[in-house]
Amino acid sequence: MPDQIDRLRGTTRTAGGRRERNMDDKRRRIFAAAANLFAEHGFDGVSTQEIADRADVAAGTVFRYASSKNELLLMVYNQDMNAAIDDGDRASAGVLDAVEALVALVRPILMISLQNPFTMVAYQRELLFGAAAEVYRAEGLELVARLERAIAARLVESTPACGIEEDVLAQEARWAARTIFAALSLILAAPSTGAQPTADPSDELRGQVAQIVRGFLATVQQ
């Protein structure tokens, strides 16, 4: 009897492992299909059925892993954003000039947007107006908070000794970081708003970062 039980337990574990591997494989295929199709055709140019066909699964299977195409977009772009923040962290590490450090930090996000601007706009829309309980929206908003913390840290690191209290300096850096992120968001949204159609996004980013840094430094050095 113990041998029979052991065999049954082994069979159960093996079957469970196969099911988990099968689920992981489908999840990876759906994610890869969504990522590739969004890159090729943009968010609005892709249907859930096309994602299912590319992943070689039934359309209903897609909804076992994501409740909607919007959720798939959040999943894909959260990963891209996380990688972009990592890239920006590495590029800006050790850069002493505040403007150069911050431009290096946020430039990878701008590069994602330039590859497919309207898909980035759709991603921003989901972050702003998506369902409050959506787990991938919460994950995306935490990425925004992570980016703002990184911006604030770079500002503090590049600030000359000025005698200001540390907590005051940190608060001013947090406010400046939110302003820089807001400026970046407007630049990313420009394709859908039509604002300043002839402006070069990279030049706009550098100019606005420089202006915000000048204001920050003027405040903390008073």
Side-chain angles (χ1 to χ4, degrees):
M1 180 66 72
D3 290 342
Q4 290 176 324
I5 293 174
D6 287 342
R7 285 198 296 273
L8 285 171
R9 286 176 175 170
T11 300
T12 301
R13 286 197 296 270
T14 301
R18 282 199 298 270
R19 283 195 297 271
E20 290 174 1
R21 289 194 297 272
N22 187 44
M23 290 175 65
D24 287 343
D25 178 61
K26 287 181 179 178
R27 184 182 294 107
R28 284 192 295 269
R29 281 156 44 199
I30 291 167
F31 183 92
N36 291 332
L37 285 168
F38 292 154
E40 293 166 13
H41 305 291
F43 176 72
D44 292 332
V46 176
S47 68
T48 305
Q49 183 62 57
E50 288 171 324
I51 293 171
D53 291 343
R54 178 72 67 91
D56 193 25
V57 299
T61 301
V62 173
F63 296 114
R64 294 177 59 186
Y65 298 92
S67 62
S68 65
K69 188 177 75 166
N70 293 13
E71 185 174 340
L72 281 171
L73 175 66
L74 286 167
M75 292 167 64
V76 168
Y77 264 59
N78 281 351
Q79 179 169 294
D80 289 349
M81 286 285 287
N82 190 56
I85 296 171
D86 286 343
D87 289 345
D89 266 336
R90 287 190 291 269
S92 62
V95 178
L96 299 180
D97 181 82
V99 173
E100 294 303 321
L102 294 177
V103 169
L105 177 59
V106 301
R107 184 187 289 117
I109 296 172
L110 179 61
M111 294 301 101
I112 294 173
S113 178
L114 293 178
Q115 292 170 8
N116 206 321
F118 288 99
T119 302
M120 176 58 82
V121 169
Y123 175 69
Q124 288 182 286
R125 184 173 62 239
E126 287 304 308
L127 289 182
L128 285 170
F129 305 115
E134 170 55 61
V135 63
Y136 293 106
R137 178 174 180 255
E139 181 182 279
L141 292 175
E142 175 52 36
L143 288 171
V144 171
R146 179 189 166 200
L147 177 61
E148 290 183 351
R149 289 193 296 269
I151 294 171
R154 291 289 182 269
L155 283 168
V156 171
E157 289 168 4
S158 61
T159 302
C162 53
I164 191 172
E165 293 180 9
E166 287 187 6
D167 59 339
V168 176
L169 176 62
Q171 181 60 70
E172 292 291 344
R174 284 193 293 270
W175 284 335
R178 290 170 192 164
T179 306
I180 289 173
F181 177 74
L184 173 64
S185 297
L186 289 174
I187 292 170
L188 300 181
S192 67
T193 63
Q196 298 181 320
T198 61
D200 179 87
S202 295
D203 290 344
E204 280 291 307
L205 177 63
R206 180 177 295 278
Q208 293 194 45
V209 167
Q211 185 178 65
I212 295 165
V213 169
R214 286 195 299 270
F216 166 77
L217 291 175
T219 298
V220 299
Q221 292 175 347
Q222 287 179 353

